[in-house]
Amino acid sequence: MSDFDFDLFVIGAGSGGVRASRIAASHGARVAVAEEHRVGGTCVIRGCVPKKLLVYGAHFAEDLKDARKFGWEVPDCRFDWDVLRDNVLAEVDRLEGLYGQTLDNHKVRVFKTRATVVAPQTVRLADGQELTAERILIATGGWPHVPDFPGSEHAITSNEVFHLETLPRRVVIAGGGYIANEFAGIFNEFGSKVTIVNRGDTILRGYDEQIRDRLLQISMTKGIDFKFNAPFKKIEKNDDGTLTIYLGGCEPIVADAVLVATGRVPNTKGLGLEEVGVDLDPTGAIRVDEHNQSSVPSIYGVGDVTNRIQLTPVAIREGQAFADSVFGGHPTVVDYANVPSAVFSHPPIGAVGMTEAEARNKLGSVRVYTSDFRAMKNVLAGRNERALYKMIVNAATDQVVGLHMIGPDAPEILQAAAIAVKAGLTKADFDATVALHPSMAEELVLLK
């Protein structure tokens, strides 16, 4: 019998922590997990899932208008934020219950409280109780970063946006990343006046330049305003509850809400990791090796808390790999090459592999194929919005090293296409595939 209370103690019951807990328990480990917020973590409770449900809701704004061109008699419709918000939160509650049930089914003990590390193999719960474990896994994810400026307490983050009591008539969004652009599209479709304020001059840094330029163009056409090179100076709350936002380089803006979407930082503050010798990088991320092990042999980390690739499926893969390696006798290393990603903007973006700039810097000689077209639905609906598909090919080997898409259903199409990129298929392989007509995806095998 082990001298420890548990074989594994997991701090954080998000996607990575739940997967690691479940798999470790299935391998016979005695597992406990502590979660101070809600089981399910960022993705399920205050991230990907509720956000995507809002995206679905926002799409109806254009779909209802387009339906008239397809012969449907659609009356003028009114959007009710309260109904969507409450339905989304109810679905989040349902999913949280399923996550908890999964842990219970695998006999994982859940402590719904904060836990900190007080020794390499000891954790302390908020009530002072101390528990020992042969191994400790940190899976506490990330937390929204709010810049320090006067009045920043008047802003909200992606944590609070799903709980807004009323839909803001005017909203200012700070940041240029995927969260900023996703919520800009959502609020714009709901009828809010949206302004994106970015301290730099680029949106979606890391995505292909042509794709992000296309989103900028379409977003401006839809009525979203952009302020570049405009750092926040201060926010003042007015007597009527509105906010005045003072920016560098442009006039003040009056809004009903300010959403700060300026990135996420690893959620390690106050966990006691540095005190027990865990090496953290300047952002607070746990430095781990390819086996998710930290500088303290008994302490591991998976997911956003390690700041490798901040994506839910990556955290799940890391949690699985950790459990299989440590408790399943099957050493597994996660392959981070060609991880697909999406931006659920309006329209959405899908991407996998190298951008054109990255490919030229790394490979030298590349071939670039693009298809710039109007989706069939947009043509009949009278929308001038154009999709853009882009393929990056290594000229020396004909291997497809990058795919980048913006347009209706781009993430759904990209997921299947990412298999081809991951498998190292060539442009000739794409060309040899018969097109599925009429579809948008057929453009991928017709690129010239």
Side-chain angles (χ1 to χ4, degrees), residues 10 33 49-50 55 97 109 146 156 165 168 170 243-244 252 271 286 345 349 371-372 408:
V10 181
V33 59
V49 171
V55 169
R109 187 170 177 185
V146 179
I156 63 172
E165 291 187 9
R170 300 158 299 181
L243 303 172
T244 300
L271 287 182
I286 301 173
S345 46
I349 291 170
S371 178
D372 191 333

Side-chain angles (χ1 to χ4, degrees), residues 43-62:
C43 180
V44 173
I45 305 299
R46 54 190 175 273
C48 324
V49 171
K51 180 272 306 289
K52 186 66 180 292
L53 292 174
L54 292 188
V55 169
Y56 284 135
H59 268 295
F60 283 103
E62 292 182 350

Side-chain angles (χ1 to χ4, degrees), residues 9-81:
F9 197 102
V10 181
I11 302 180
S15 297
V18 167
R19 177 58 65 90
S21 299
R22 177 171 70 82
I23 300 302
S26 71
H27 290 314
R30 296 172 302 132
V31 182
V33 59
E35 173 55 62
E36 64 177 312
H37 296 296
R38 298 178 66 182
V39 173
T42 295
C43 180
V44 173
I45 305 299
R46 54 190 175 273
C48 324
V49 171
K51 180 272 306 289
K52 186 66 180 292
L53 292 174
L54 292 188
V55 169
Y56 284 135
H59 268 295
F60 283 103
E62 292 182 350
D63 290 344
L64 289 167
K65 293 177 183 178
D66 293 348
R68 296 186 175 101
K69 288 294 185 90
F70 287 85
W72 291 94
E73 293 184 10
V74 180
D76 290 336
C77 299
R78 182 184 68 86
F79 171 67
D80 191 328
W81 164 253

Side-chain angles (χ1 to χ4, degrees), residues 212-227:
R212 66 193 191 204
D213 285 350
R214 177 60 56 88
L215 177 62
L216 178 61
Q217 174 193 5
I218 293 174
S219 297
M220 293 174 65
T221 300
K222 289 179 181 289
I224 299 174
D225 192 17
F226 288 81
K227 306 290 185 185

Side-chain angles (χ1 to χ4, degrees), residues 347-416:
I349 291 170
V352 65
M354 288 185 274
T355 65
E356 180 180 351
E358 289 169 342
R360 292 193 184 281
N361 287 337
K362 184 174 181 178
L363 304 175
S365 180
V366 299
R367 299 195 306 272
V368 178
Y369 301 86
T370 60
S371 178
D372 191 333
F373 62 97
R374 270 206 299 171
M376 184 184 294
K377 179 186 174 185
N378 287 348
V379 174
L380 191 61
R383 293 189 179 277
N384 291 322
E385 183 176 306
R386 300 182 68 84
L388 176 62
Y389 291 6
K390 185 172 184 178
M391 177 183 286
I392 316 298
V393 177
N394 184 340
T397 64
D398 197 45
Q399 181 180 351
V400 177
V401 296
L403 283 175
H404 309 275
M405 307 161 59
I406 180 171
D409 298 321
E412 306 292 341
I413 298 168
L414 192 280
Q415 174 67 88

